[in-house]
Amino acid sequence: MSRERDDSAGPTERGTGAGGGGGASGTSGASGAAERRTAARAIAAAGGSGVTSAGAGSGGTASGAGTASGSVTAHLSHRVPDLGALELLLAVARHGSLGAAAREVGITQPAASSRIRSMERQLGVALVDRSPRGSRLTDAGALVTDWARRIVESAEAFDAGVQALRGRRDSRLRVVASMTIAEYLLPGWLIALRAERPDTAVSLQAGNSAVVAERLLAGEADLGFVEGLAVPDGLDGTVVAHDRLAVVVAPSHPWARRRKPIDPAELAGTPLVLREHGSGTRQVLDAALAGHGGLARPLLELASTTAVKAAAVSGAGAAVLSELAIAEELSSRRLVAVPVAGAHLRRDLRAVWPTGHRPTGPARDLLSLTRS
């Protein structure tokens, strides 16, 4: 849409009548206004012509003769010219030349002429008189131009308002993620997002998968990440990464020296250092051992991956943690991974959002970065 407004026109362009809408029309003062009112009545009387006047100040709602008011709304888009055509008509009014109007809106003169003719057919009235000396608005064209100016100015206000909304949306991003993703994956993704959107302020909240769902459903976050077995109720999601849980112990623990893998029944019957209920890690472990008697009462139940890891490193007991969280400890031999046979400890990591509200703006960009 051209952002130039008609009020930039010079005195010649605006001195054609009370509406100021036809610099090329050749009418003046009260006479031009009277002729436009006559044209409006003529248009209204032309049954089925495609337009009817509701008065010069009405905004020009279009309707065929005898059409019910409910039908007007239903079929308005078929009878009202598009914004590009209306902007072209305004340019003709400003310049008094179809060629100059075509150059202003960035199309060829034949294309401009074709668009004007198409609009005339659509409305059922002649809008522009063409001659070797230039193009001038007809009386009906001057009236339609008055209406077109209001429509285009309203569209510009609408566009500016939407841009402001997008700007407000794009100025911040609220992310909520379960612990492992928040600590070990999101920092890298957010650094990449910063390079693409340096003006977006990002806030990150961490909690278990249940907390992530609560925050999203309460409208307190724009995008979430969870580690559980499935997408929580009320949310949609997509897999962005994969992870595996590992049983780990301190080097001094008896399991650190065993050669035979632990079977699920032994693991289930052993008190472990665990994450709390509601965490994705706990959900996966509960499901993996449900057919083997279920988990024994925890040795310790802690609310963060860091706390569970610290307890395991101190020798408190065996723990089950994400492989993402223990890479450094395994490399430095502060923890030892214990093989487990017969238990499914693999899990999907997902991005999630409220059902029916797919991410937009910075949230959509962050989601794209997780896949790359």
Side-chain angles (χ1 to χ4, degrees), residues 56 63 113 254 312:
S63 171
S113 181

Side-chain angles (χ1 to χ4, degrees), residues 263-272 274 277 282-298:
D263 63 59
E266 183 180 0
L267 183 62
T270 302
L272 303 171
L274 298 175
H277 284 289
R282 185 66 173 268
Q283 290 175 18
V284 172
L285 188 59
D286 281 339
L289 300 181
H292 302 278
L295 282 169
R297 183 176 179 180

Side-chain angles (χ1 to χ4, degrees), residues 333-372:
R333 294 288 299 174
R334 287 188 292 157
L335 287 175
V336 177
V338 182
V340 179
H344 183 74
L345 297 178
R346 185 178 180 275
R347 62 180 177 175
D348 296 325
L349 308 181
R350 294 178 173 86
V352 290
W353 55 87
T355 299
H357 297 275
R358 192 161 183 85
T360 59
R364 178 193 58 217
D365 293 348
L366 179 57
L367 182 58
S368 297
L369 288 170
T370 66
R371 293 167 173 172
S372 63

Side-chain angles (χ1 to χ4, degrees), residues 43-52 62-69 71-72 79:
I43 294 170
S49 67
V51 296
T52 184
S63 171
T67 302
S69 60
S71 178
V72 170
R79 296 193 301 273

Side-chain angles (χ1 to χ4, degrees), residues 83-145:
L83 288 173
L86 296 179
E87 287 184 314
L88 176 61
L89 183 63
L90 291 174
V92 173
R94 283 193 290 274
H95 297 289
S97 164
L98 197 58
R103 288 191 294 273
E104 179 182 316
V105 301
I107 60 177
T108 65
Q109 182 168 340
S113 181
S114 175
R115 181 170 285 188
I116 291 293
R117 284 196 299 270
S118 176
M119 182 163 48
E120 289 174 328
R121 288 193 300 270
Q122 183 180 12
L123 297 179
V125 293
L127 302 174
V128 177
D129 283 335
R130 303 159 182 83
S131 72
R133 296 187 301 276
S135 299
R136 60 182 293 274
L137 298 179
T138 65
D139 291 337
L143 181 61
V144 171
T145 299

Side-chain angles (χ1 to χ4, degrees), residues 4-359:
E4 183 176 349
R5 295 173 67 94
D6 189 55
D7 54 15
S8 64
T12 303
E13 296 171 347
R14 298 181 64 84
T16 60
S25 70
T27 60
S28 64
S31 173
E35 290 178 4
R36 285 196 293 277
R37 287 195 294 272
T38 300
R41 287 194 292 271
I43 294 170
S49 67
V51 296
T52 184
S53 171
S58 69
T61 301
S63 171
T67 302
S69 60
S71 178
V72 170
T73 302
H75 301 289
L76 188 61
S77 61
H78 300 295
R79 296 193 301 273
V80 175
D82 62 63
L83 288 173
L86 296 179
E87 287 184 314
L88 176 61
L89 183 63
L90 291 174
V92 173
R94 283 193 290 274
H95 297 289
S97 164
L98 197 58
R103 288 191 294 273
E104 179 182 316
V105 301
I107 60 177
T108 65
Q109 182 168 340
S113 181
S114 175
R115 181 170 285 188
I116 291 293
R117 284 196 299 270
S118 176
M119 182 163 48
E120 289 174 328
R121 288 193 300 270
Q122 183 180 12
L123 297 179
V125 293
L127 302 174
V128 177
D129 283 335
R130 303 159 182 83
S131 72
R133 296 187 301 276
S135 299
R136 60 182 293 274
L137 298 179
T138 65
D139 291 337
L143 181 61
V144 171
T145 299
D146 284 344
W147 296 338
R149 181 177 296 105
R150 298 189 188 102
I151 293 172
V152 170
E153 290 178 350
S154 295
E156 289 177 340
F158 176 86
D159 183 48
V162 171
Q163 286 190 41
L165 288 176
R166 283 198 300 266
R168 186 171 66 182
R169 177 204 67 189
D170 294 353
S171 67
R172 67 171 188 176
L173 174 62
R174 301 168 301 168
V175 181
V176 58
S178 51
M179 294 295 187
T180 301
I181 297 176
E183 292 182 20
Y184 300 99
L185 291 178
L186 264 170
W189 294 339
L190 293 179
I191 289 172
L193 180 67
R194 176 74 175 176
E196 292 190 4
R197 286 183 171 270
D199 296 328
T200 298
V202 180
S203 63
L204 172 60
Q205 299 176 331
N208 61 37
S209 296
V211 169
V212 171
E214 290 172 4
R215 296 278 168 81
L216 285 169
L217 294 174
E220 298 173 358
D222 305 305
L223 187 64
F225 294 90
V226 296
E227 306 160 2
L229 292 170
V231 177
D233 291 341
L235 303 180
D236 289 336
T238 185
V239 175
V240 296
H242 302 284
D243 186 26
R244 186 181 300 276
L245 300 183
V247 178
V248 292
V249 295
S252 59
H253 193 282
W255 284 1
R257 295 181 294 276
R258 67 181 293 161
R259 299 180 182 274
K260 185 178 179 181
I262 296 174
D263 63 59
E266 183 180 0
L267 183 62
T270 302
L272 303 171
V273 180
L274 298 175
R275 285 288 307 279
E276 79 286 3
H277 284 289
S279 73
T281 299
R282 185 66 173 268
Q283 290 175 18
V284 172
L285 188 59
D286 281 339
L289 300 181
H292 302 278
L295 282 169
R297 183 176 179 180
L299 181 67
L300 292 172
E301 194 170 60
L302 303 173
S304 75
T305 298
T306 301
V308 173
K309 185 164 55 174
V313 168
S314 72
V320 179
L321 290 165
S322 162
E323 288 183 344
L324 293 171
I326 57 174
E328 182 180 341
E329 286 74 18
L330 292 178
S331 177
S332 64
R333 294 288 299 174
R334 287 188 292 157
L335 287 175
V336 177
V338 182
V340 179
H344 183 74
L345 297 178
R346 185 178 180 275
R347 62 180 177 175
D348 296 325
L349 308 181
R350 294 178 173 86
V352 290
W353 55 87
T355 299
H357 297 275
R358 192 161 183 85

